[in-house]
Amino acid sequence: MRPRRLRHALALAALAASAGIAGCSWWPSEGPSAARQDVRRAAGQPSAAPPSPAAGGPQPAAAPQGTPPQARPLLLLTDPAVLAELEAAGLDFGSVLTGAQRAPASLSALSRTAELASIARVLADDLRQIQRADPRSGTSIARHAHRLFDERWLSAEGARFELIGVVNRMDRRPFDASACGETRLVYRLAYAAKTPGGAAGATSAAGASVATPAPAASRLPMTASFELLAPAGDALSCRRLAQAWSRAGALSGPDLVRFLTSLEGPLAPGAADRANLAQLVVNLQSVRWPSTVRPDLGGHAEYVLRAFRWDARAGRYAPLALENTPDVARLSRDPARRERLRAWLSAPENLARLDEGTALLPEEFLATKALSATPHGLARRANRPFRVLFEPRDFAGVDFAGLSRVRSPEGLLRRLDQMTCPGCHQSGSVAGFHLLGQEPPGRVHDALFTLESAHLAGDLPRRQAVVEAIARGAAPDYQVPYPERGDGARGGYGARCGLGDPSFAGWACAEGLVCSAYDAPQEDRATVGVCLPAAPEVGDPCQVGAVVPHADPHRDRAAAAQPGACPLAAVCNTSPVGFPGGMCTSSCVGLPDEGVCGAIAVLDPFNRCLARGSVFTECLSRHVTPAGLRRCSSEAPCREDYVCARTSSGEGACIPPYFLFQLRVDGHAVP
């Protein structure tokens, strides 16, 4: 492929006839260790199936007290077949939301219930606030430069929330002493809609077969998670629950479903009752600006973060304060309240809990709504609310002696920001999410290869250690590392690394990589960077400029940067065509080991195709050409702002997340 043509193309998550794209995670690139494979099996990944139980199915009793569990605990259940059975057993979104045994699945019917209607009204008001403040925003890809989430999806006939994960969060026990941690049910918005041509296989009036498009189907960038308290927080009850999760780790298929929902299982009848609901958390991509509108950043997207709790007296779900997320606007207007917050954060007993990652801020400081922004993660001040409220000098007199992680004012502010909702969702995430669900096995177009974020993958060993300790009757270590880099991480490609601040002094890069300041703002360039090769290879950044941040994410910008050097025969695809920080791409001939042949779509014709209302896969098949991209997998992750999408061969290539149709709000069928 000619360099000129490459410069004006977009890498997309799909294959041309012989080329493809795939998925990534955050493990170091040395290859999977036995321990890492065990964690992935415990997390419900479809690698080697666990041994089948004895004929006759599992016994209902928990493991005897004092008996060490024989299997690693189930931490993250993502098997689509098992999840579908759990939905059929009463854990479908509508039933959990309403408390009814048989609630409608379609949002068209469910939206008429008081439960979903109360949530939808709040979210619709959030979207209308965006539209009132931004006349360029709207739902039409042809008429609006800033593409807004279409609120009609929340009441569409073909839309539903599908269960994509069951998450064991016994490690959350320090946040509520009355419970044994949490169990989380994560649902993602999906739809199936007829295209304008009608249903596939239609016939004409004369009876002749008519070739018409298949119904359009996709997931959307919205999740809803029920965070359920595991009741009875005494030591014996928690030990039995940990042993039940360990027993579940040895089961699969129908046996696993039967045990999970049995009287002794973690999802026993009543576990998902609204009486146990700590909160229902919503993460919604509210608006997306394409790179043609924000060329310096490589595009822009915003996410609304909300929490709700059931109000039985009012008969509705009501907004709830977001955990550890300050109300920046209110605190900025109220200097006395801001000073109370600073004093609370500086108190030795609170500093100790912040260092451990188990602190809970008083509700008087908290917001009920937050916004996160991509790309460029924590370089954006919208994702760092504490850095907006405070300067490092505000904590210059704090004594950090005796703390294990927070050893400086900069480290304290970064710790605080990553404990907020926006900071956490922009630390090692997949376009603002930490769990997006497994893809159907045969899907190639618009498919992620890894379903979990780098942060989630890196945190599973810690969660496993907590559950195993509780199951043994031992005292667990509840300390939580910084979300952007887990304890013991070896600093592989794209990992976060220290640039001199004492809080991050131990964050080194693996051999062959150097710690680059990358896109860090000028005032943060001595804190945290990114591990990258000293000389760029295929897939590496080639147009890096420091982000100039602002409290208003619309006013963020990236300092002007000229395209840099790429390997021989490769070219720099720049931010204006959708590659944050630029990315070196090449032809598919003679690729190095870190390269893989993927697909490039030409920007203008592809976007015109979408604007005409054509199906995404149809536009993709007509306007792509092969190109060499960076190879990725669970053991060889992409850098920040890039994801790995599935290839037909099972390999992966790094691409910007919004080249995946399911990770953007625009271009979908009209609900």
Side-chain angles (χ1 to χ4, degrees):
M1 180 184 296
R2 295 178 181 175
R4 180 177 301 172
R5 189 171 184 181
L6 274 170
R7 288 191 187 100
H8 297 287
L10 289 173
L12 284 168
L15 304 180
S18 62
I21 296 186
C24 79
S25 191
W26 183 51
W27 299 111
S29 57
E30 288 80 2
S33 66
R36 198 172 301 145
Q37 290 173 334
D38 284 339
V39 170
R40 294 187 70 80
R41 283 197 291 272
Q45 299 289 347
S47 52
S52 298
Q59 299 299 315
Q65 185 174 338
T67 302
Q70 297 301 308
R72 295 183 183 274
L74 180 63
L75 302 172
L76 175 63
L77 176 59
T78 57
D79 183 335
V82 173
L83 295 173
E85 289 192 53
L86 288 174
E87 287 186 293
L91 292 179
D92 59 285
F93 179 80
S95 295
V96 179
L97 181 76
T98 64
Q101 289 186 350
R102 294 183 179 179
S106 169
L107 297 189
S108 175
L110 195 59
S111 65
R112 293 192 286 272
T113 66
E115 290 85 356
L116 184 56
S118 60
I119 294 170
R121 279 194 298 269
V122 174
L123 299 177
D125 187 57
D126 291 339
L127 294 168
R128 289 168 192 149
Q129 286 182 33
I130 294 172
Q131 195 163 29
R132 286 194 296 268
D134 179 8
R136 300 182 70 189
S137 65
T139 59
S140 170
I141 194 173
R143 299 193 305 273
H144 299 107
H146 304 163
R147 286 76 181 264
L148 197 67
F149 180 90
D150 195 328
E151 66 181 80
R152 291 176 294 174
W153 282 119
L154 298 178
S155 58
E157 177 62 37
R160 64 181 290 263
F161 281 98
E162 59 177 319
L163 183 62
I164 62 168
V166 177
V167 189
N168 171 359
R169 293 305 306 269
M170 289 195 73
D171 63 294
R172 291 273 302 172
R173 191 181 180 195
F175 295 91
D176 191 325
S178 68
C180 300
E182 299 170 1
T183 300
R184 296 183 176 180
L185 305 177
V186 185
Y187 299 81
R188 187 170 174 196
L189 183 58
Y191 71 88
K194 292 181 180 180
T195 60
T203 56
S204 68
S209 176
V210 178
T212 57
S218 179
R219 288 170 170 167
L220 287 161
M222 178 181 181
T223 59
S225 174
F226 292 92
E227 299 184 355
L228 302 163
L229 295 175
D234 61 278
L236 180 58
S237 296
C238 293
R239 187 174 185 185
R240 287 173 175 164
L241 178 61
Q243 290 172 346
W245 280 118
S246 297
R247 183 172 181 180
L251 303 175
S252 62
D255 289 332
L256 175 57
V257 175
R258 281 193 292 271
F259 176 69
L260 287 174
T261 56
S262 71
L263 291 176
E264 303 296 337
L267 298 175
D273 287 355
R274 289 188 300 211
N276 296 326
L277 180 64
Q279 58 183 359
L280 169 59
V281 177
V282 171
N283 185 2
L284 164 69
Q285 186 186 117
S286 54
V287 67
R288 190 185 78 88
W289 302 8
S291 60
T292 50
V293 177
R294 283 310 308 264
D296 58 327
L297 295 176
H300 169 78
E302 296 172 12
Y303 298 79
V304 169
L305 301 167
R306 281 279 195 179
F308 299 87
R309 180 177 290 165
W310 175 246
D311 184 336
R313 180 174 297 179
R316 62 184 176 88
Y317 281 90
L320 188 67
L322 296 170
E323 183 176 289
N324 289 333
T325 302
D327 189 329
V328 173
R330 184 176 60 169
L331 288 162
S332 298
R333 295 191 303 266
D334 188 342
R337 190 187 299 264
R338 177 185 173 278
E339 176 54 27
R340 288 200 302 274
L341 174 58
R342 191 202 66 79
W344 190 94
L345 298 171
S346 303
E349 65 275 16
N350 296 327
L351 275 174
R353 287 193 289 268
L354 289 167
D355 187 58
E356 293 174 353
T358 59
L360 283 174
L361 266 66
E363 189 167 348
E364 68 163 311
F365 304 123
L366 302 180
T368 57
K369 180 177 76 170
L371 176 148
S372 72
T374 62
H376 298 288
L378 296 185
R380 310 282 295 272
R381 289 296 183 253
N383 303 324
R384 299 199 59 187
F386 281 98
R387 190 63 178 81
V388 173
L389 288 168
F390 299 107
E391 296 287 340
R393 63 176 177 269
D394 292 321
F395 301 97
V398 171
D399 182 6
F400 296 101
L403 301 183
S404 61
R405 291 181 173 85
V406 177
R407 302 188 181 108
S408 64
E410 286 283 8
L412 174 60
L413 286 170
R414 202 167 182 95
R415 175 59 138 180
L416 288 166
D417 284 322
Q418 291 184 48
M419 293 177 70
T420 68
C421 292
C424 179
H425 279 277
Q426 294 300 330
S427 296
S429 67
V430 181
F433 296 93
H434 287 302
L435 185 64
L436 286 166
Q438 281 195 30
E439 305 285 3
R443 178 173 293 168
V444 173
H445 297 290
D446 191 36
L448 287 162
F449 182 71
T450 53
L451 56 104
E452 79 278 13
S453 71
H455 159 63
L456 175 52
D459 199 42
L460 289 177
R462 180 192 68 84
R463 300 181 190 180
Q464 175 179 310
V466 168
V467 179
E468 289 177 341
I470 296 174
R472 294 193 308 270
D477 181 1
Y478 286 113
Q479 294 186 82
V480 183
Y482 286 84
E484 60 188 337
R485 176 149 173 165
D487 289 344
R490 290 175 284 179
Y493 180 88
R496 287 295 178 174
C497 50
L499 290 169
D501 187 273
S503 292
F504 316 106
W507 294 12
C509 293
E511 184 177 356
L513 302 174
V514 297
C515 191
S516 166
Y518 193 54
D519 59 358
Q522 289 297 329
E523 58 267 36
D524 297 340
R525 295 182 83 79
T527 54
V528 174
V530 181
C531 294
L532 294 169
E537 303 289 348
V538 169
D540 289 346
C542 54
Q543 192 189 27
V544 178
V547 171
V548 181
H550 194 278
D552 178 357
H554 296 175
R555 299 176 64 180
D556 289 340
R557 62 183 180 86
Q562 295 300 315
C566 284
L568 188 65
V571 297
C572 181
N573 278 272
T574 60
S575 291
V577 291
F579 295 80
M583 186 170 85
C584 295
T585 59
S586 70
S587 74
C588 290
V589 178
L591 286 172
D593 291 342
E594 70 274 7
V596 65
C597 191
I600 288 279
V602 183
L603 179 61
D604 290 338
F606 178 81
N607 283 341
R608 286 197 299 270
C609 182
L610 284 182
R612 289 194 299 269
S614 300
V615 178
F616 179 81
T617 51
E618 177 186 341
C619 297
L620 205 57
S621 64
R622 293 181 178 181
H623 304 292
V624 294
T625 188
L629 304 170
R630 183 176 180 86
R631 184 187 302 275
C632 56
S633 67
S634 294
E635 289 74 40
C638 302
R639 58 186 162 104
E640 189 172 284
D641 296 327
Y642 288 79
V643 299
C644 227
R646 179 188 289 173
T647 68
S648 58
S649 63
E651 297 179 295
C654 296
I655 58 168
Y658 304 116
F659 293 175
L660 279 177
F661 192 50
Q662 61 171 287
L663 295 180
R664 48 192 278 180
V665 295
D666 51 314
H668 293 270
V670 176

